[in-house]
Protein backbone atom coordinates (compact mmCIF):
# COMPACT_ATOMS: atom_id res chain seq x y z
CA UNK A 1 0.00 0.00 0.00
CA UNK A 2 1.02 3.64 -0.40
CA UNK A 3 -0.08 4.50 3.13
CA UNK A 4 2.94 6.67 3.82
CA UNK A 5 2.23 8.72 0.69
CA UNK A 6 -1.53 9.12 1.01
CA UNK A 7 -1.57 12.73 2.20
CA UNK A 8 0.82 13.80 -0.51
CA UNK A 9 -0.97 11.97 -3.30
CA UNK A 10 -4.58 12.74 -2.42
CA UNK A 11 -4.24 15.83 -0.31
CA UNK A 12 -5.55 18.16 -3.00
CA UNK A 13 -2.23 19.58 -4.17
CA UNK A 14 -2.69 21.52 -7.41
CA UNK A 15 -0.52 19.59 -9.84
CA UNK A 16 0.30 22.70 -11.83
CA UNK A 17 1.08 25.14 -9.01
CA UNK A 18 2.60 25.43 -5.54
CA UNK A 19 5.92 24.06 -6.70
CA UNK A 20 9.04 25.04 -4.72
CA UNK A 21 10.93 28.15 -5.71
CA UNK A 22 14.12 27.52 -7.63
CA UNK A 23 16.70 29.30 -9.76
CA UNK A 24 15.30 31.07 -12.82
CA UNK A 25 17.61 28.83 -14.82
CA UNK A 26 15.49 25.85 -13.77
CA UNK A 27 11.81 25.13 -14.28
CA UNK A 28 10.02 23.08 -11.61
CA UNK A 29 7.62 20.46 -12.97
CA UNK A 30 5.43 18.13 -10.86
CA UNK A 31 5.70 14.53 -12.01
CA UNK A 32 5.19 10.94 -10.95
CA UNK A 33 7.28 7.90 -11.87
CA UNK A 34 5.60 4.51 -12.10
CA UNK A 35 6.60 1.09 -13.31
CA UNK A 36 4.02 -0.53 -15.54
CA UNK A 37 4.74 -4.12 -16.52
CA UNK A 38 8.25 -4.33 -17.95
CA UNK A 39 8.45 -0.58 -18.61
CA UNK A 40 8.94 2.52 -16.50
CA UNK A 41 7.55 5.95 -17.30
CA UNK A 42 7.20 9.54 -16.16
CA UNK A 43 3.56 10.57 -15.65
CA UNK A 44 2.62 14.22 -16.14
CA UNK A 45 -0.66 16.11 -15.65
CA UNK A 46 -1.74 17.49 -19.01
CA UNK A 47 -1.86 21.07 -17.75
CA UNK A 48 1.92 21.26 -17.19
CA UNK A 49 2.82 20.07 -20.70
CA UNK A 50 2.94 22.61 -23.57
CA UNK A 51 0.18 22.16 -26.16
CA UNK A 52 2.12 23.39 -29.20
CA UNK A 53 3.90 20.46 -30.91
CA UNK A 54 7.42 21.92 -31.10
CA UNK A 55 7.33 23.27 -27.56
CA UNK A 56 5.93 19.96 -26.30
CA UNK A 57 8.78 18.03 -27.91
CA UNK A 58 11.38 20.40 -26.44
CA UNK A 59 9.78 19.95 -23.02
CA UNK A 60 9.78 16.14 -23.18
CA UNK A 61 13.34 15.96 -24.51
CA UNK A 62 14.53 18.18 -21.66
CA UNK A 63 12.56 16.08 -19.17
CA UNK A 64 14.30 12.88 -20.27
CA UNK A 65 17.73 14.39 -20.93
CA UNK A 66 17.70 13.61 -24.66
CA UNK A 67 19.51 13.40 -26.99
CA UNK A 68 22.23 11.66 -25.00
CA UNK A 69 23.04 7.93 -24.92
CA UNK A 70 23.12 8.02 -21.10
CA UNK A 71 20.36 10.62 -20.62
CA UNK A 72 22.47 11.74 -17.67
CA UNK A 73 20.84 15.18 -17.41
CA UNK A 74 17.23 13.99 -17.17
CA UNK A 75 14.89 11.26 -15.99
CA UNK A 76 15.41 8.89 -18.92
CA UNK A 77 16.89 5.47 -18.24
CA UNK A 78 18.97 5.19 -21.43
CA UNK A 79 16.80 2.28 -22.60
CA UNK A 80 13.77 1.90 -24.86
CA UNK A 81 11.79 0.50 -21.90
CA UNK A 82 12.51 3.41 -19.56
CA UNK A 83 12.26 6.45 -21.82
CA UNK A 84 8.49 6.71 -21.82
CA UNK A 85 6.04 9.44 -20.82
CA UNK A 86 2.33 9.31 -20.02
CA UNK A 87 0.38 12.57 -20.20
CA UNK A 88 -2.88 12.38 -18.24
CA UNK A 89 -5.79 14.77 -18.65
CA UNK A 90 -9.52 15.12 -18.15
CA UNK A 91 -11.65 12.85 -20.35
CA UNK A 92 -12.65 14.20 -23.76
CA UNK A 93 -15.16 11.36 -24.26
CA UNK A 94 -18.22 10.46 -22.23
CA UNK A 95 -17.23 6.78 -22.18
CA UNK A 96 -13.85 7.45 -20.51
CA UNK A 97 -12.60 8.41 -17.06
CA UNK A 98 -9.47 10.15 -18.35
CA UNK A 99 -7.41 10.92 -21.43
CA UNK A 100 -3.97 9.35 -21.76
CA UNK A 101 -1.36 10.29 -24.34
CA UNK A 102 1.75 8.14 -24.65
CA UNK A 103 5.10 9.54 -25.77
CA UNK A 104 8.18 7.48 -26.64
CA UNK A 105 11.10 9.87 -26.26
CA UNK A 106 14.19 9.35 -28.37
CA UNK A 107 17.42 8.56 -26.56
CA UNK A 108 20.14 9.55 -29.03
CA UNK A 109 17.73 11.33 -31.39
CA UNK A 110 16.01 14.64 -30.63
CA UNK A 111 12.66 13.17 -31.55
CA UNK A 112 9.45 12.27 -29.71
CA UNK A 113 7.03 9.70 -31.12
CA UNK A 114 3.27 9.83 -30.54
CA UNK A 115 2.16 7.31 -33.18
CA UNK A 116 1.67 4.36 -30.84
CA UNK A 117 0.52 3.31 -27.38
CA UNK A 118 2.47 1.32 -24.79
CA UNK A 119 0.58 -1.56 -23.22
CA UNK A 120 2.92 -1.88 -20.26
CA UNK A 121 2.67 1.81 -19.36
CA UNK A 122 -1.11 1.53 -19.86
CA UNK A 123 -1.25 -0.80 -16.85
CA UNK A 124 0.23 1.97 -14.70
CA UNK A 125 -2.34 4.50 -15.95
CA UNK A 126 -4.99 2.72 -13.89
CA UNK A 127 -2.79 2.86 -10.78
CA UNK A 128 -2.11 6.56 -11.38
CA UNK A 129 -5.85 7.23 -11.69
CA UNK A 130 -6.54 5.46 -8.41
CA UNK A 131 -3.73 7.17 -6.50
CA UNK A 132 -4.55 10.64 -7.83
CA UNK A 133 -8.25 10.30 -7.04
CA UNK A 134 -9.30 10.56 -10.69
CA UNK A 135 -11.90 7.78 -10.44
CA UNK A 136 -14.43 6.68 -7.79
CA UNK A 137 -12.89 3.77 -5.93
CA UNK A 138 -14.49 0.36 -5.64
CA UNK A 139 -13.03 -2.56 -3.73
CA UNK A 140 -11.72 -5.12 -4.44
CA UNK A 141 -11.41 -3.87 -8.04
CA UNK A 142 -11.78 -0.48 -9.70
CA UNK A 143 -12.23 -0.42 -13.47
CA UNK A 144 -10.63 2.60 -15.15
CA UNK A 145 -11.87 3.52 -18.62
CA UNK A 146 -8.83 4.91 -20.41
CA UNK A 147 -9.11 6.94 -23.60
CA UNK A 148 -5.79 6.52 -25.38
CA UNK A 149 -5.44 9.57 -27.59
CA UNK A 150 -2.65 8.04 -29.67
CA UNK A 151 -5.02 5.43 -31.09
CA UNK A 152 -8.33 7.17 -30.27
CA UNK A 153 -9.58 4.01 -28.59
CA UNK A 154 -10.83 2.91 -25.17
CA UNK A 155 -9.03 0.33 -23.08
CA UNK A 156 -10.14 -0.96 -19.70
CA UNK A 157 -7.84 -1.42 -16.69
CA UNK A 158 -9.15 -3.50 -13.78
CA UNK A 159 -7.06 -2.34 -10.81
CA UNK A 160 -6.99 -4.28 -7.51
CA UNK A 161 -7.80 -1.83 -4.68
CA UNK A 162 -7.63 -2.14 -0.91
CA UNK A 163 -7.83 0.42 1.89
CA UNK A 164 -8.38 3.19 -0.66
CA UNK A 165 -5.23 2.55 -2.67
CA UNK A 166 -4.03 0.47 -5.59
CA UNK A 167 -2.71 -2.79 -4.21
CA UNK A 168 0.99 -3.53 -4.66
CA UNK A 169 1.59 -6.98 -3.20
CA UNK A 170 0.26 -10.10 -4.86
CA UNK A 171 1.17 -13.39 -6.47
CA UNK A 172 1.31 -12.39 -10.14
CA UNK A 173 4.77 -12.74 -11.70
CA UNK A 174 6.02 -11.14 -14.92
CA UNK A 175 9.10 -12.37 -16.72
CA UNK A 176 11.45 -9.38 -16.85
CA UNK A 177 10.30 -7.91 -13.49
CA UNK A 178 11.73 -9.06 -10.13
CA UNK A 179 9.33 -10.56 -7.59
CA UNK A 180 5.54 -10.63 -7.76
CA UNK A 181 2.72 -8.10 -7.46
CA UNK A 182 -1.02 -7.51 -7.60
CA UNK A 183 -2.40 -8.41 -11.02
CA UNK A 184 -3.93 -5.62 -13.15
CA UNK A 185 -6.11 -6.83 -16.03
CA UNK A 186 -5.97 -4.88 -19.29
CA UNK A 187 -8.71 -5.35 -21.89
CA UNK A 188 -7.87 -4.22 -25.46
CA UNK A 189 -10.78 -5.74 -27.39
CA UNK A 190 -12.24 -2.27 -28.11
CA UNK A 191 -9.00 -1.06 -29.74
CA UNK A 192 -9.28 -3.06 -32.99
CA UNK A 193 -8.67 -0.85 -36.01
CA UNK A 194 -7.61 2.12 -33.90
CA UNK A 195 -4.88 3.30 -36.28
CA UNK A 196 -6.32 2.33 -39.65
CA UNK A 197 -10.00 1.63 -39.09
CA UNK A 198 -9.67 -2.11 -39.68
CA UNK A 199 -8.31 -5.12 -37.82
CA UNK A 200 -6.71 -6.26 -41.09
CA UNK A 201 -5.75 -2.94 -42.71
CA UNK A 202 -4.91 -4.39 -46.14
CA UNK A 203 -8.01 -6.57 -46.21
CA UNK A 204 -5.83 -9.70 -46.38
CA UNK A 205 -4.51 -12.16 -43.83
CA UNK A 206 -1.10 -11.78 -45.46
CA UNK A 207 0.59 -9.65 -48.10
CA UNK A 208 3.82 -9.90 -50.06
CA UNK A 209 6.07 -6.84 -50.09
CA UNK A 210 9.19 -6.39 -52.18
CA UNK A 211 12.29 -5.36 -50.26
CA UNK A 212 15.43 -4.93 -52.41
CA UNK A 213 17.67 -6.22 -49.62
CA UNK A 214 15.46 -9.26 -48.93
CA UNK A 215 13.39 -9.93 -52.02
CA UNK A 216 9.69 -10.82 -51.71
CA UNK A 217 8.70 -11.01 -48.02
CA UNK A 218 5.36 -12.26 -46.70
CA UNK A 219 3.89 -10.26 -43.80
CA UNK A 220 0.63 -10.12 -41.89
CA UNK A 221 -0.47 -6.61 -40.94
CA UNK A 222 -2.77 -6.43 -37.92
CA UNK A 223 -4.19 -3.36 -36.15
CA UNK A 224 -5.29 -3.92 -32.56
CA UNK A 225 -3.74 -2.18 -29.53
CA UNK A 226 -1.07 -0.95 -31.96
CA UNK A 227 -0.43 -1.20 -35.69
CA UNK A 228 2.00 -4.10 -36.19
CA UNK A 229 3.18 -6.54 -38.81
CA UNK A 230 4.23 -10.15 -38.28
CA UNK A 231 7.05 -11.77 -40.24
CA UNK A 232 8.54 -15.26 -40.06
CA UNK A 233 12.15 -15.47 -38.86
CA UNK A 234 13.29 -17.32 -42.00
CA UNK A 235 11.98 -14.51 -44.19
CA UNK A 236 14.42 -12.01 -42.65
CA UNK A 237 17.47 -14.25 -42.85
CA UNK A 238 17.19 -16.04 -39.51
CA UNK A 239 16.66 -19.61 -38.45
CA UNK A 240 13.77 -20.32 -36.08
CA UNK A 241 16.17 -21.23 -33.28
CA UNK A 242 17.94 -17.88 -33.73
CA UNK A 243 15.20 -16.04 -31.86
CA UNK A 244 14.94 -14.55 -29.39
CA UNK A 245 18.39 -13.06 -29.66
CA UNK A 246 20.11 -9.68 -29.73
CA UNK A 247 20.10 -8.47 -33.35
CA UNK A 248 23.27 -7.50 -35.15
CA UNK A 249 23.60 -4.54 -37.50
CA UNK A 250 22.69 -6.60 -40.59
CA UNK A 251 19.36 -7.72 -39.10
CA UNK A 252 18.58 -4.19 -37.91
CA UNK A 253 19.26 -2.90 -41.43
CA UNK A 254 16.98 -5.55 -42.96
CA UNK A 255 14.21 -4.85 -40.46
CA UNK A 256 14.45 -1.12 -41.12
CA UNK A 257 14.01 -1.69 -44.86
CA UNK A 258 11.14 -4.10 -44.25
CA UNK A 259 9.38 -1.68 -41.90
CA UNK A 260 9.66 1.04 -44.53
CA UNK A 261 8.22 -1.26 -47.19
CA UNK A 262 5.23 -2.15 -45.00
CA UNK A 263 4.67 1.53 -44.22
CA UNK A 264 4.64 2.21 -47.96
CA UNK A 265 2.13 -0.62 -48.44
CA UNK A 266 -0.13 1.04 -45.87
CA UNK A 267 0.37 4.53 -47.29
CA UNK A 268 1.78 5.95 -44.06
CA UNK A 269 4.90 7.99 -43.39
CA UNK A 270 8.21 6.23 -42.93
CA UNK A 271 10.37 6.83 -39.88
CA UNK A 272 7.63 6.31 -37.30
CA UNK A 273 7.49 3.67 -34.57
CA UNK A 274 4.60 1.98 -36.33
CA UNK A 275 4.06 -0.41 -37.96
CA UNK A 276 5.86 -2.34 -35.20
CA UNK A 277 7.88 -5.32 -36.54
CA UNK A 278 7.20 -8.68 -34.82
CA UNK A 279 9.46 -11.60 -35.76
CA UNK A 280 8.00 -15.06 -35.07
CA UNK A 281 8.98 -18.70 -35.10
CA UNK A 282 7.26 -21.96 -34.14
CA UNK A 283 7.59 -23.21 -30.54
CA UNK A 284 11.13 -24.38 -29.77
CA UNK A 285 13.54 -24.64 -26.86
CA UNK A 286 15.20 -21.29 -26.18
CA UNK A 287 17.11 -19.30 -23.60
CA UNK A 288 16.30 -15.77 -22.48
CA UNK A 289 18.73 -12.87 -22.47
CA UNK A 290 19.54 -13.83 -18.87
CA UNK A 291 20.14 -17.46 -19.93
CA UNK A 292 16.94 -18.84 -18.41
CA UNK A 293 15.91 -22.00 -20.30
CA UNK A 294 12.43 -22.53 -21.73
CA UNK A 295 11.24 -25.75 -23.34
CA UNK A 296 9.08 -25.74 -26.44
CA UNK A 297 6.13 -27.26 -24.54
CA UNK A 298 5.96 -24.13 -22.35
CA UNK A 299 5.15 -21.75 -25.23
CA UNK A 300 2.85 -21.61 -28.26
CA UNK A 301 4.99 -19.28 -30.35
CA UNK A 302 8.43 -17.67 -30.00
CA UNK A 303 8.85 -14.02 -30.89
CA UNK A 304 10.83 -10.85 -30.55
CA UNK A 305 10.04 -7.24 -31.35
CA UNK A 306 12.50 -4.96 -33.13
CA UNK A 307 11.20 -1.48 -32.37
CA UNK A 308 12.06 2.12 -31.62
CA UNK A 309 13.98 4.70 -33.61
CA UNK A 310 16.64 3.72 -34.36
CA UNK A 311 15.46 0.10 -34.31
CA UNK A 312 16.61 -2.03 -31.41
CA UNK A 313 15.57 -5.22 -29.64
CA UNK A 314 12.72 -4.90 -27.16
CA UNK A 315 14.31 -6.72 -24.22
CA UNK A 316 10.96 -8.00 -22.94
CA UNK A 317 7.77 -7.88 -25.02
CA UNK A 318 5.53 -4.85 -25.63
CA UNK A 319 2.07 -5.33 -24.13
CA UNK A 320 0.32 -3.98 -27.20
CA UNK A 321 2.38 -6.14 -29.56
CA UNK A 322 1.50 -9.17 -27.45
CA UNK A 323 -2.19 -8.42 -28.02
CA UNK A 324 -1.63 -8.03 -31.75
CA UNK A 325 0.33 -11.26 -31.97
CA UNK A 326 -2.16 -13.24 -29.87
CA UNK A 327 -5.17 -12.04 -31.87
CA UNK A 328 -3.32 -12.69 -35.14
CA UNK A 329 -2.63 -16.22 -33.86
CA UNK A 330 -6.40 -16.80 -33.79
CA UNK A 331 -7.01 -15.72 -37.41
CA UNK A 332 -6.52 -18.57 -39.91
CA UNK A 333 -4.11 -17.74 -42.72
CA UNK A 334 -1.98 -15.18 -40.89
CA UNK A 335 1.70 -15.88 -40.37
CA UNK A 336 1.12 -15.90 -36.62
CA UNK A 337 -1.60 -18.56 -37.02
CA UNK A 338 0.68 -20.72 -39.15
CA UNK A 339 3.56 -20.45 -36.67
CA UNK A 340 1.59 -20.85 -33.42
CA UNK A 341 0.56 -24.06 -31.70
CA UNK A 342 -3.23 -24.35 -31.93
CA UNK A 343 -4.14 -26.23 -28.75
CA UNK A 344 -7.60 -24.84 -28.02
CA UNK A 345 -6.48 -23.01 -24.85
CA UNK A 346 -7.80 -19.52 -24.10
CA UNK A 347 -4.29 -18.08 -23.78
CA UNK A 348 -1.53 -17.69 -26.34
CA UNK A 349 1.80 -18.28 -24.58
CA UNK A 350 4.43 -16.06 -26.18
CA UNK A 351 8.10 -16.89 -25.65
CA UNK A 352 10.22 -13.72 -25.75
CA UNK A 353 13.68 -12.38 -24.80
CA UNK A 354 12.82 -12.15 -21.09
CA UNK A 355 10.67 -15.26 -20.75
CA UNK A 356 6.98 -15.88 -21.44
CA UNK A 357 3.85 -13.75 -21.66
CA UNK A 358 0.31 -15.13 -21.69
CA UNK A 359 -2.44 -13.28 -23.57
CA UNK A 360 -6.11 -14.31 -23.64
CA UNK A 361 -7.40 -13.97 -27.19
CA UNK A 362 -10.60 -15.05 -28.93
CA UNK A 363 -12.17 -14.07 -32.24
CA UNK A 364 -15.33 -15.02 -34.10
CA UNK A 365 -15.41 -15.24 -37.90
CA UNK A 366 -18.73 -15.11 -39.70
CA UNK A 367 -19.19 -14.32 -43.38
CA UNK A 368 -15.54 -13.22 -43.54
CA UNK A 369 -16.18 -10.68 -40.77
CA UNK A 370 -13.79 -10.96 -37.85
CA UNK A 371 -14.88 -9.80 -34.41
CA UNK A 372 -12.49 -9.70 -31.47
CA UNK A 373 -14.21 -11.20 -28.44
CA UNK A 374 -11.25 -11.18 -26.07
CA UNK A 375 -7.83 -9.51 -26.06
CA UNK A 376 -6.47 -9.16 -22.56
CA UNK A 377 -3.49 -9.84 -20.33
CA UNK A 378 -2.34 -9.13 -16.80
CA UNK A 379 0.47 -6.89 -15.62
CA UNK A 380 1.69 -5.46 -12.34
CA UNK A 381 2.44 -1.80 -11.69
CA UNK A 382 3.43 0.42 -8.82
CA UNK A 383 4.30 3.95 -7.80
CA UNK A 384 8.04 4.63 -7.62
CA UNK A 385 8.27 8.39 -7.07
CA UNK A 386 5.95 11.36 -6.70
CA UNK A 387 7.35 14.87 -6.54
CA UNK A 388 9.09 17.62 -8.51
CA UNK A 389 11.64 17.45 -11.29
CA UNK A 390 13.66 20.40 -12.56
CA UNK A 391 14.26 21.15 -16.22
CA UNK A 392 16.86 23.49 -17.68
CA UNK A 393 14.83 26.58 -18.61
CA UNK A 394 17.20 27.34 -21.51
CA UNK A 395 16.15 24.10 -23.19
CA UNK A 396 12.51 25.12 -23.13
Amino acid sequence: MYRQHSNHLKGGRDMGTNTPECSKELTAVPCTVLRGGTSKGVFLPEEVVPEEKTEREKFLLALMGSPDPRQIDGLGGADLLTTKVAIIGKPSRDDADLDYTFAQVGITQAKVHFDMNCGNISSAVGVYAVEKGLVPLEEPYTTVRIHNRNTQTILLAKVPVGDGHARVDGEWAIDGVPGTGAAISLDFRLTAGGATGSLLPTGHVYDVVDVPELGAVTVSVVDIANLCFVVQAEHVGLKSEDIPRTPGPELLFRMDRLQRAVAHLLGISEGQLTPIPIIVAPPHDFRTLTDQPFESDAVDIVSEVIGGQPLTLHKAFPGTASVTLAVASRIPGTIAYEMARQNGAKSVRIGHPSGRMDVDAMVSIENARIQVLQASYQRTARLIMDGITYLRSARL
Side-chain angles (χ1 to χ4, degrees):
M1 298 296 180
Y2 304 139
R3 202 182 307 274
Q4 66 271 33
H5 295 287
S6 60
N7 289 336
H8 180 52
L9 286 168
K10 293 184 177 178
R13 177 167 66 92
D14 183 346
M15 292 300 294
T17 59
N18 298 332
T19 54
E21 291 187 8
C22 60
S23 164
K24 292 182 180 179
E25 296 178 350
L26 296 173
T27 297
V29 177
C31 70
T32 307
V33 177
L34 295 99
R35 176 188 61 78
T38 54
S39 294
K40 185 166 60 177
V42 180
F43 283 62
L44 300 168
E46 188 176 53
E47 60 266 26
V48 306
V49 182
E51 293 184 11
E52 197 275 324
K53 182 178 183 295
T54 301
E55 297 303 315
R56 173 172 286 204
E57 290 192 354
K58 286 182 181 179
F59 178 91
L60 295 176
L61 290 167
L63 175 78
M64 287 299 190
S66 298
D68 171 32
R70 292 195 299 153
Q71 294 181 315
I72 197 66
D73 203 36
L75 295 180
D79 188 280
L80 179 68
L81 305 184
T82 57
T83 311
K84 301 171 182 283
V85 175
I87 302 170
I88 309 297
K90 295 179 180 179
S92 58
R93 291 172 50 156
D94 292 338
D95 56 351
D97 297 308
L98 55 85
D99 277 7
Y100 148 56
T101 302
F102 172 71
Q104 181 74 58
V105 181
I107 300 174
T108 58
Q109 296 181 338
K111 192 168 184 179
V112 182
H113 296 272
F114 296 97
D115 61 308
M116 60 172 283
N117 182 22
C118 173
N120 282 291
I121 291 299
S122 295
S123 66
V125 173
V127 172
Y128 181 90
V130 167
E131 291 306 313
K132 293 297 182 181
L134 303 181
V135 291
L137 298 189
E138 295 184 12
E139 298 186 13
Y141 296 99
T142 295
T143 297
V144 183
R145 303 170 302 166
I146 301 168
H147 172 215
N148 176 238
R149 299 194 65 174
N150 306 78
T151 59
Q152 298 299 326
T153 57
I154 298 290
L155 56 113
L156 307 174
K158 187 178 179 181
V159 183
V161 172
D163 196 25
H165 293 278
R167 294 186 59 86
V168 177
D169 296 328
E171 301 302 318
W172 191 257
I174 300 175
D175 290 333
V177 179
T180 61
I184 299 165
S185 178
L186 285 171
D187 183 349
F188 285 86
R189 58 191 161 82
L190 300 178
T191 66
T196 63
S198 176
L199 177 65
L200 298 177
T202 67
H204 308 124
V205 291
Y206 68 86
D207 293 272
V208 178
V209 294
D210 185 60
V211 184
E213 293 79 9
L214 291 171
V217 180
T218 304
V219 299
S220 291
V221 184
V222 183
D223 180 7
I224 182 169
N226 263 327
L227 177 61
C228 304
F229 69 90
V230 182
V231 62
Q232 188 175 343
E234 281 80 356
H235 291 178
V236 291
L238 300 174
K239 297 179 180 179
S240 293
E241 57 268 27
D242 287 339
I243 66 167
R245 72 167 194 179
T246 301
E250 288 187 11
L251 177 58
L252 293 176
F253 176 78
R254 292 195 294 268
M255 294 307 297
D256 175 75
R257 292 300 183 267
L258 179 57
Q259 185 187 43
R260 292 174 184 273
V262 177
H264 179 73
L265 171 70
L266 297 172
I268 63 178
S269 301
E270 298 179 7
Q272 301 188 85
L273 297 184
T274 57
I276 299 171
I278 304 175
I279 304 175
V280 295
H284 62 265
D285 296 350
F286 70 94
R287 289 183 174 271
T288 68
L289 296 180
T290 57
D291 208 34
Q292 178 186 2
F294 275 79
E295 295 185 356
S296 61
D297 289 346
V299 297
D300 299 315
I301 193 168
V302 180
S303 181
E304 67 181 24
V305 168
I306 307 294
Q309 284 292 334
L311 290 176
T312 187
L313 174 70
H314 197 291
K315 295 176 183 176
F317 208 83
T320 53
S322 74
V323 169
T324 306
L325 180 56
V327 170
S329 298
R330 302 302 197 206
I331 303 173
T334 68
I335 293 170
Y337 183 91
E338 298 300 326
M339 293 293 102
R341 177 186 289 115
Q342 303 296 330
N343 57 11
K346 72 171 185 176
S347 294
V348 178
R349 303 172 300 170
I350 301 170
H352 61 76
S354 290
R356 193 183 91 183
M357 184 171 180
D358 297 3
V359 182
D360 293 343
M362 183 186 304
V363 303
S364 68
I365 303 176
E366 187 174 348
N367 297 325
R369 180 177 179 270
I370 304 172
Q371 182 181 1
V372 179
L373 304 179
Q374 190 171 21
S376 62
Y377 59 83
Q378 292 183 305
R379 300 274 85 181
T380 64
R382 76 169 187 91
L383 174 74
I384 292 177
M385 186 280 292
D386 188 70
I388 305 295
T389 188
Y390 295 89
L391 312 187
R392 285 176 173 259
S393 300
R395 293 200 59 185
L396 307 180

